[in-house]
Amino acid sequence: MATLRSGERAPDPVVALWKDELLPRIELDPLGRAEVTSVLSAVLGGAVESISADRLWTACAGNMLLLREMHFAARWVERDGIWSLDGPLPLSPRLVELIEAHLAAVPDDQRRVLELLAFGEPLDLAASEELDGLVAVTPEGLRLAHPLYGEVLRAQCPPLRKRNHQRYLASVLEDPLRVAVLRLDSGTADDPALLITATRLACATGGVVLAERLARAAWAVGGGVEAGRLLAEVLVFTDRPEEAEEVFAMVATDDDPMEVRAVRAMNLGWALGRSAEAASMVEAHAVQANLLFDAGKYDEARAVLTGAEPEEAAILALIDVVQGRYVGPWPDVPPRPELPLSGESITSAKAFVLAMHGDLRGAERVAVQAHRAKAEWDTMRSSWGLVRGALACQLGRLEEAQRLLRETRPARPFALLCTLAYVEAMLGNDARELLAQAEKLVPEGQVPHRSWLWLARIWVGGASPFDAAADVRSRGEYATEAVLLHEAVRLGQALKAVDRLRELAETTTGLLVPIYFAHADALVRNDSVALVAVASRFEEAGLMLHAAEAAAASGNRALFGRLVAHCQGARTPALAAMTAATLTRREREIAVLTARGLTNKEIAESLVISVRTVDNHLSNAYAKLGIATRVELASALVLPDDLSSRR
């Protein structure tokens, strides 16, 4: 293997190696986001918080050397099996020295260009030859060639020169947000109008930490009621309802706009539990319908809607999907400039509707994009992490769901505890403590979102899925009823559920309800051909665990083996019935000995076969069981008495 740095001229003999096809040439691109996460997980020996992995990926730009140096300089902490960065972005002395070596040869006049870029990139500046390799020309203007150059330049810049740079940039730039931040950092922020405009721009991009800082500054320099309203809105959307209501009360007037009253009412009703006060505060039909929807009063919410407000279309979609009436498409609801953070609620509603309707992949695309955009918005990042975890679970990616949920830190953990309890149950783990914690935190509202509580009760607490289905049916939640009845099917009670699922398949619009019925019907008729077709339909919809369970019931071992490999360690009764039968006699024999703790060499000697043969049989067993380690093997073997009988 011969290596050559990008941009360097290769000697003729090396060129001949690939030119004459003596050796293949491989271009090594920078590591991607997923690859950086994989490397960090391997080094740390556990899952890595996505925001920490994203920070390092962005900072190192996929460079393995820089990633290595930053990893060793970092302070890592482990919580609930998830590793995360503790503190600011790590820069080791060795890494700083490497960067300084690149910067040392730059003349003083060009050093000023680099420092200006560090505080204000991109800029419309000309680059000299001395800056080759240190800057990059982009359509937006000149930028530093690597994010870490900015970190070092800002850290080394003396305070007085730093303030001079910031004041100069504030005087020449036109972007109100950048100008406001520069004036704040340089101590010259005294224009409330500029700060209010910048606050709105920060909100529009999801930069709520910066938005709060700007709003407080605007209020401090005389921004008055408008600054206070913006600050209160930021506090609502960063899950500080008590402080938000204090600010709302301080700036309230008799002629508050409807939009401001709406946000205040939702804060009172949802976060503070003062529903009656919230309802009396607003006349907006969209807000009233939203509060009624949250309380599970769907027909009343529908009756309130008049179609006069753009947001009503989204609320109608929420009501329709819960009642099994939604047909799409998702309505286009324009954002309100006066409430720059309110668009987040519309996006959350869209993900909920798509998921409830059965378009799980569409919902996941929305959630992934929103989650990645919230690097500095802890509250919404947690909310979207929870949504992504729930969707990953429904799509059969249980270990991914477990990781996403464990790294989520919501201020109100009820929904997280319910979802995580269900995921742990699907993995065959004891989740009774998680369910017990969730039961203590059941909120007054959030009625449409309580399906995960019933799922956890069914799989962890042994509750009847038919009792759960009857409860949601009494409120007209027919989409959720279908989901809960299908859980009964998964638990071996298809005969009792099939007739009602047939009715729901004929009377509701959910994309998955006909498949739920087909699954129950095929099980009742013991039709293996129909079960294979059901497995294919679930797979096409992305529900890999449901697909694997249908394949298991069909007896099609090849199909089951392929599908269960995507289910990341799932342990459910439907899978268990097939798992033992999929292993050959020799694979099972070797798997049992491995589960007892014997090494491959010891197994080979015991069975008088080669170590390579043991390796091959064990690899086949792992693939069929959908596992990757010896630790998982004992629980994957469905008949635990085998171990004792072999002894």
Side-chain angles (χ1 to χ4, degrees):
M1 179 173 65
T3 62
L4 188 73
R5 288 183 181 275
S6 299
E8 292 187 4
R9 184 181 182 279
D12 291 340
V14 174
V15 173
L17 290 175
W18 69 74
K19 183 178 179 182
D20 298 337
E21 298 185 351
L22 299 172
L23 287 177
R25 172 173 174 150
I26 302 173
E27 294 286 348
L28 295 181
D29 295 323
L31 297 179
R33 183 196 308 266
E35 293 157 329
V36 166
T37 302
S38 178
V39 168
L40 291 172
S41 297
V43 171
L44 291 166
V48 179
E49 179 195 38
S50 56
I51 190 170
S52 296
D54 285 352
R55 288 174 64 194
L56 288 177
W57 172 67
T58 301
C60 76
N63 183 301
M64 179 65 91
L65 173 62
L66 298 181
L67 177 64
R68 179 182 185 276
E69 292 297 328
M70 296 177 74
H71 161 69
F72 284 117
R75 294 195 304 273
W76 290 100
V77 294
E78 186 268 340
R79 179 181 175 185
D80 295 334
I82 306 294
W83 289 94
S84 61
L85 286 174
D86 181 23
L89 202 66
L91 292 177
S92 68
R94 171 179 156 84
L95 186 54
V96 173
E97 289 175 6
L98 286 171
I99 296 172
E100 286 178 337
H102 283 280
L103 302 175
V106 177
D108 289 344
D109 60 329
Q110 295 303 310
R111 175 85 178 200
R112 180 177 182 274
V113 172
L114 294 179
E115 289 176 349
L116 288 173
L117 289 172
F119 291 106
E121 65 177 347
L123 296 173
D124 185 15
L125 298 173
S128 66
E129 294 182 359
E130 291 94 335
L131 298 183
D132 286 350
L134 296 174
V135 299
V137 179
T138 70
E140 296 80 21
L142 205 63
R143 289 183 177 273
L144 293 171
H146 199 284
L148 293 183
Y149 291 163
E151 295 285 343
V152 173
L153 285 163
R154 286 189 293 271
Q156 292 182 341
C157 190
L160 180 59
R161 193 157 78 224
K162 173 183 176 179
R163 285 194 295 272
N164 288 337
H165 288 330
Q166 291 167 335
R167 290 169 181 168
Y168 169 74
L169 289 169
S171 69
V172 298
L173 292 176
E174 297 180 356
D175 179 0
L177 179 56
R178 296 167 71 191
V179 171
V181 172
L182 287 164
R183 292 206 178 281
L184 269 180
D185 290 342
S186 62
T188 59
D190 54 6
D191 181 355
L194 171 65
L195 292 167
I196 287 172
T197 300
T199 302
R200 295 190 186 282
L201 291 170
C203 288
T205 59
V208 292
V209 175
L210 177 58
E212 180 182 349
R213 184 184 173 209
L214 290 164
R216 290 190 186 278
W219 203 5
V221 297
V225 171
E226 190 174 2
R229 288 170 176 168
L230 279 172
L231 175 58
E233 183 189 359
V234 172
L235 293 172
V236 168
F237 281 89
T238 53
D239 219 352
R240 286 175 285 175
E242 293 83 2
E243 186 180 357
E245 173 54 22
E246 289 179 8
V247 177
F248 271 130
M250 291 174 64
V251 299
T253 64
D254 293 336
D255 58 348
D256 278 342
M258 179 271 292
E259 295 83 3
V260 174
R261 289 175 179 268
V263 174
R264 186 180 181 187
M266 288 187 288
N267 184 57
L268 286 169
W270 291 345
L272 298 178
R274 293 155 61 177
S275 301
E277 185 179 351
S280 66
M281 182 172 291
V282 292
E283 297 179 358
H285 299 289
V287 177
Q288 292 176 355
N290 228 328
L291 293 169
L292 290 167
F293 176 81
D294 188 63
K297 300 176 181 179
Y298 308 116
D299 290 336
E300 293 179 44
R302 186 186 298 276
V304 167
L305 297 174
T306 64
E309 301 160 28
E311 292 82 3
E312 292 188 34
I315 299 168
L316 182 60
L318 287 168
I319 299 168
D320 281 346
V321 80
V322 168
Q323 295 188 326
R325 301 184 185 183
Y326 179 78
V327 293
W330 174 255
D332 181 19
V333 181
R336 288 185 179 268
E338 64 273 19
L339 292 174
L341 296 180
S342 62
E344 200 63 36
S345 299
I346 301 298
T347 307
S348 298
K350 180 180 181 179
F352 177 85
V353 168
L354 292 178
M356 183 67 73
H357 187 51
D359 183 5
L360 298 176
R361 290 194 178 103
E364 188 172 48
R365 286 192 292 272
V366 173
V368 168
Q369 182 177 359
H371 188 230
R372 288 178 175 170
K374 306 299 182 295
E376 298 180 6
W377 190 348
D378 292 342
T379 303
M380 287 310 303
R381 187 174 181 84
S382 286
S383 296
W384 284 114
L386 173 57
V387 173
R388 285 189 62 188
L391 289 167
C393 173
Q394 292 171 283
L395 292 165
R397 303 196 305 271
L398 297 179
E399 291 174 353
E400 179 185 341
Q402 184 187 54
R403 176 186 62 78
L404 285 164
L405 295 171
R406 284 183 174 177
E407 73 176 50
T408 298
R409 301 284 183 268
R412 295 170 179 79
F414 164 72
L416 170 66
L417 292 167
C418 296
T419 312
L420 185 56
Y422 179 74
V423 170
E424 295 290 354
M426 292 297 99
L427 289 167
N429 300 327
D430 186 351
R432 287 174 293 181
E433 180 58 31
L434 290 169
L435 177 58
Q437 293 178 44
E439 294 283 12
K440 296 176 183 177
L441 299 173
V442 179
E444 291 185 11
Q446 297 185 27
V447 173
H449 303 272
R450 292 189 192 174
S451 58
W452 286 98
L453 176 59
W454 271 121
L455 290 170
R457 285 171 172 169
I458 292 166
W459 286 88
V460 180
S464 164
F466 298 102
D467 290 345
D471 175 66
V472 300
R473 183 182 183 181
S474 68
R475 292 191 297 273
E477 297 177 11
Y478 302 118
T480 304
E481 182 190 4
V483 171
L484 295 172
L485 287 173
H486 187 249
E487 298 304 296
V489 175
R490 297 178 63 202
L491 288 166
Q493 301 180 69
L495 182 60
K496 191 175 177 181
V498 65
D499 289 339
R500 178 56 182 162
L501 280 173
R502 179 186 288 108
E503 291 178 16
L504 291 170
E506 293 172 350
T507 58
T508 64
T509 60
L511 299 176
L512 299 177
V513 183
I515 314 178
Y516 294 158
F517 163 65
H519 189 192
D521 184 58
L523 286 171
V524 169
R525 294 186 292 105
N526 195 24
D527 187 336
S528 60
V529 175
L531 284 166
V532 168
V534 167
S536 297
R537 292 172 70 182
F538 275 133
E539 181 182 10
E540 184 178 353
L543 282 73
M544 303 306 292
L545 178 53
H546 291 355
E549 290 179 341
S554 76
N556 187 322
R557 296 185 179 184
L559 178 62
F560 171 77
R562 179 175 66 79
L563 293 172
V564 79
H566 296 282
C567 296
Q568 298 185 349
R571 303 284 184 271
T572 67
L575 298 184
M578 184 68 166
T579 299
T582 61
L583 300 183
T584 66
R585 183 192 62 79
R586 180 64 92 182
E587 288 168 353
R588 184 168 185 78
E589 187 175 28
I590 290 173
V592 169
L593 293 173
T594 302
R596 288 177 55 188
L598 275 68
T599 66
N600 288 13
K601 183 178 180 182
E602 290 171 337
I603 295 171
E605 293 172 353
S606 172
L607 301 179
V608 195
I609 56 179
S610 70
V611 174
R612 180 180 292 276
T613 299
V614 174
D615 291 341
N616 290 338
H617 283 306
L618 200 54
S619 295
N620 290 339
Y622 281 174
K624 290 179 179 180
L625 297 173
I627 61 175
T629 68
R630 290 172 177 256
V631 175
E632 299 172 285
L633 195 54
S635 59
L637 297 175
V638 180
L639 303 176
D641 291 342
D642 280 5
L643 293 181
S644 58
S645 64
R646 289 281 179 173
R647 293 193 185 96

